[in-house]
Amino acid sequence: MWIVAGWVLVLLLLAMWSGLVWAGEALLAAALSKAGTLSTGDWSLPEALTAWLPVPVAEWLAGTLETLTPQLQALVGTLPWLSGGVTVLAWVVWSLGALLLLGVGVAVHVAVALWRKSARSSLPPSVTVLR
C-alpha cells in the first residue's frame, strides 16, 4: 500500500510539474512573440525609478540606456524569432524534472521495500505474518 501511495504522489507531482512547465512555456512564448513591437521611443527609465534614485545615478542610467538603445532594439527584433526555441527549452526542462520525479519514485519504492524486508526479518521465527 505504501508503494502505491508513493507512486500516486509522484504522479500527482508530475501532473503539477507538467502544468507548471506548460503554463510557463505559454506565457514566455506569448511575451516573446509580442516583444518585437516595442519602438525606439519606449526605451526610457520610468519616472517612479528616477524619482527614487539619486540624481547622478538616474542621469548615468538614462545615458547608458540611451547609448545602448540600438543594441537593445536589435535584441528585441530577434525575440519573436527566439520564441520558437521556447518549446524546445520547455521540453528539456520538463524532461529533467520528470526524470528527477521518476528517480524520487524509484527511491521511495526501494525504501519501502527495504523497510518491509527489515521489518519482516526482525520478527521472531515463531511468529507468522498474515497478509
Side-chain angles (χ1 to χ4, degrees), residues 15-84:
M16 288 179 12
W17 175 246
S18 299
L20 179 70
V21 170
W22 176 70
E25 186 266 337
L27 288 173
L28 191 57
L32 286 177
S33 67
K34 302 284 190 240
T37 61
L38 289 174
S39 66
T40 308
D42 292 337
W43 297 103
S44 61
L45 291 175
E47 288 190 28
L49 181 64
T50 56
W52 180 74
L53 290 172
V55 175
V57 174
E59 289 174 354
W60 175 80
L61 276 176
T64 302
L65 193 57
E66 189 176 316
T67 304
L68 293 176
T69 296
Q71 289 85 1
L72 291 173
Q73 194 63 32
L75 177 66
V76 165
T78 63
L79 288 180
W81 176 77
L82 291 174
S83 66

Side-chain angles (χ1 to χ4, degrees), residues 5 8-9 27 31 34 36 50 53 55 66 68 71 76 79 92 99 102 108-109 111-112 116 118 120 123-124 126:
V8 167
L9 179 64
L27 288 173
K34 302 284 190 240
T50 56
L53 290 172
V55 175
E66 189 176 316
L68 293 176
Q71 289 85 1
V76 165
L79 288 180
V92 168
L99 286 173
L102 181 65
V108 167
H109 188 104
V112 169
R116 278 185 178 173
S118 69
R120 224 178 278 138
L123 292 174
S126 62

